[in-house]
Amino acid sequence: MKRHKRWLAVLAAAAITLSISSGLAAPETEPFADFRIDAADMDILDRTITVDLYRRQDGAFQAADHVEYACRVNRVTEDASFYIQPSKDGVWASVDYLTDLDGDGSYELLDGGEDPVWDVLDLRGGLAPPSEGRDAPALANAQTYILSGETLAGRFRQAVQSRSTGSSLSLDMGQEPVSRQEYPLCMVKLHHTDPAGGEHFTQTYYLELYGTVLVPPDISPDDWYYEAVKFVLAQGYFSGTGDGRFAPSDPLTRAQLAQVLWTMGGSLNAKMPQFSDVSPTDWFYQPVAWCQQEDLIVGYDSATFAPQDQLSREQMISILFRYARNSGAVLRITSDLSQFSDAADVSPWALDSMRWAVTNGLIPTSETALCPGDTVTRADLAATLYSYQMNLGSLY
């Protein structure tokens, strides 16, 4: 079996990883294989990850080392296909699974010694542990091999199960039950040995697999709005900011809300808006035109829209109430706001919409306050739209 100082390759991975986005080799070596990704969505992030290295001793795994290094992580949706095309003879591919069973943020990576706990790629795009006493399948020069994201995710789940307490590969961490790892992180390595000098080279790629949508790096599974953000991104109601973040704490502007409502409504063309501060060259031009046409967001007495003005909770709810009315959604109103200490702070024009929101669980409230004048954030709107979908049905 080809082993080639596998742990040394892991530690050097950050230095010799090739950039999939550019296809350029790192200075240490020329590329000996092409590796490309096809996915509904993808990006590349620079990350610093910590890894606990485990080795089998007397039939059990024991921690051997703890390392931290920088690498580039290719984040892809799980529909991805990975295309591998060697440019030399004798290339083979292996896959390691970086698990975080105890949820401490440090990944576990195993070295099985003579009993491998990692996979090799076969000639049909499948993954399985290497057969003892046999070399890994060599990939033919200039032939393309396809590894699917579904195959990677499936083998990752099996790796988690096999490394859990009570299994034959159980890690000695004293952690039970196993923590859920939201996104599989896999390390794909392409290997080649120089037939002349016997020197071994690797190209290493870190692949993090998501579901149907990439979650921006500033959104954590621990955030209270996590599922809501996943929902609005999957539906296409929101997009990230220019730097790839979601910016959940950023205030929501009138232009941004117009964009979201316009997208929810089908992104239809509308008559020219009658606002002096909205130009055909503005990114929010059509959204504002449609929202004005549908009487969802009105302007000010000065015939301005004020696209960058921030929204309060009662303003957002009033606008969404109009959207619900226009789209035929349930307008059930039964709540009495008198239970809230700041009910008197709700503006008269927002009373019905605020009662509707409380009745249908559309906004989070404390036990005593509505906070109608608080500034709405992007996360707040995502949470409200998610609750709307869950409690009132389709937003279409």
Side-chain angles (χ1 to χ4, degrees):
M1 183 64 223
K2 294 184 176 72
R3 305 201 189 281
H4 303 299
K5 298 182 180 178
R6 195 165 156 270
W7 286 109
L8 293 179
V10 169
L11 298 179
I16 62 175
T17 296
L18 304 188
S19 169
I20 292 177
S21 60
S22 66
L24 300 177
E28 286 80 358
T29 181
E30 290 296 321
F32 51 81
D34 192 24
F35 187 99
R36 299 194 179 277
I37 299 174
D38 180 24
D41 200 3
M42 69 184 86
D43 62 20
I44 301 177
L45 295 181
D46 291 320
R47 286 245 301 266
T48 297
I49 64 175
T50 57
V51 176
D52 293 320
L53 307 181
Y54 284 80
R55 288 181 180 158
R56 197 193 301 270
Q57 297 177 357
D58 301 324
F61 281 99
Q62 301 293 335
D65 202 354
H66 179 85
V67 297
E68 181 177 295
Y69 56 89
C71 62
R72 305 192 77 193
V73 176
N74 302 270
R75 307 188 326 140
V76 299
T77 45
E78 203 167 300
D79 65 329
S81 294
F82 307 98
Y83 297 86
I84 302 170
Q85 186 180 56
S87 56
K88 295 182 179 181
D89 293 325
V91 174
W92 59 283
S94 66
V95 179
D96 265 306
Y97 307 100
L98 283 77
T99 57
D100 183 13
L101 299 186
D102 58 1
D104 66 352
S106 183
Y107 295 102
E108 303 101 17
L109 198 57
L110 310 186
D111 181 13
E114 295 302 314
D115 189 6
V117 291
W118 41 285
D119 286 340
V120 294
L121 179 71
D122 64 30
L123 302 184
R124 298 180 300 276
L127 292 171
S131 301
E132 189 61 35
R134 296 181 58 188
D135 286 348
L139 309 180
N141 185 1
Q143 184 168 329
T144 300
Y145 300 86
I146 303 175
L147 172 62
S148 73
E150 182 180 2
T151 297
L152 268 183
R155 288 295 293 157
F156 183 91
R157 287 189 284 270
Q158 292 173 24
V160 169
Q161 184 176 6
S162 69
R163 297 176 186 186
S164 302
T165 302
S167 72
S168 60
L169 303 180
S170 177
L171 301 183
D172 184 17
M173 297 183 300
Q175 296 288 339
E176 191 176 4
V178 173
S179 175
R180 177 185 175 215
Q181 185 171 341
E182 190 72 18
Y183 307 119
L185 180 60
C186 305
M187 184 171 66
V188 177
K189 296 173 67 178
L190 308 182
H191 306 257
H192 180 257
T193 301
D194 184 354
E199 189 174 6
H200 184 71
F201 299 98
T202 59
Q203 296 173 198
T204 305
Y205 304 88
Y206 291 86
L207 309 174
E208 193 165 37
L209 304 175
Y210 288 70
T212 58
V213 62
L214 292 186
V215 177
D218 58 344
I219 301 296
S220 165
D222 296 329
D223 295 327
W224 65 268
Y225 44 77
Y226 175 72
E227 291 297 333
V229 170
K230 283 178 58 177
F231 168 75
V232 296
L233 290 173
Q235 296 298 320
Y237 300 153
F238 272 74
S239 60
T241 59
D243 57 2
R245 299 178 305 114
F246 185 81
S249 299
D250 280 6
L252 182 73
T253 67
R254 286 164 58 85
Q256 289 173 342
L257 181 55
Q259 172 74 36
V260 170
L261 294 175
W262 179 64
T263 303
M264 289 164 48
S267 303
L268 303 175
N269 290 329
K271 296 181 296 184
M272 181 184 302
Q274 304 301 311
F275 300 119
S276 61
D277 55 352
V278 177
S279 165
T281 59
D282 292 325
W283 61 265
F284 47 80
Y285 179 77
Q286 274 298 327
V288 169
W290 184 80
C291 285
Q292 182 185 33
Q293 176 180 286
E294 299 299 313
D295 196 28
L296 298 179
I297 307 179
V298 298
Y300 294 100
D301 292 340
S302 59
T304 59
F305 183 78
Q308 302 309 319
D309 275 10
Q310 299 172 7
L311 288 158
S312 67
R313 280 162 63 94
E314 66 178 10
Q315 288 172 334
M316 177 191 71
I317 288 300
S318 294
I319 293 168
L320 190 58
F321 182 65
R322 297 186 200 117
Y323 177 89
R325 180 188 60 206
N326 290 0
S327 60
V330 174
L331 298 180
R332 180 173 60 94
I333 301 175
T334 60
S335 291
D336 180 3
L337 301 185
S338 62
Q339 61 182 300
F340 299 102
S341 61
D342 57 355
D345 296 337
V346 178
S347 300
W349 49 264
L351 283 171
D352 284 346
S353 56
M354 190 63 76
R355 291 179 58 220
W356 167 76
V358 173
T359 298
N360 296 284
L362 302 186
I363 55 173
T365 61
S366 69
E367 294 182 358
T368 59
L370 289 166
C371 306
D374 282 8
T375 300
V376 174
T377 66
R378 288 166 56 85
D380 290 333
L381 177 59
T384 295
L385 295 181
Y386 185 55
S387 297
Y388 188 120
Q389 174 72 17
M390 295 299 102
N391 298 340
L392 296 178
S394 176
L395 286 164
Y396 299 109

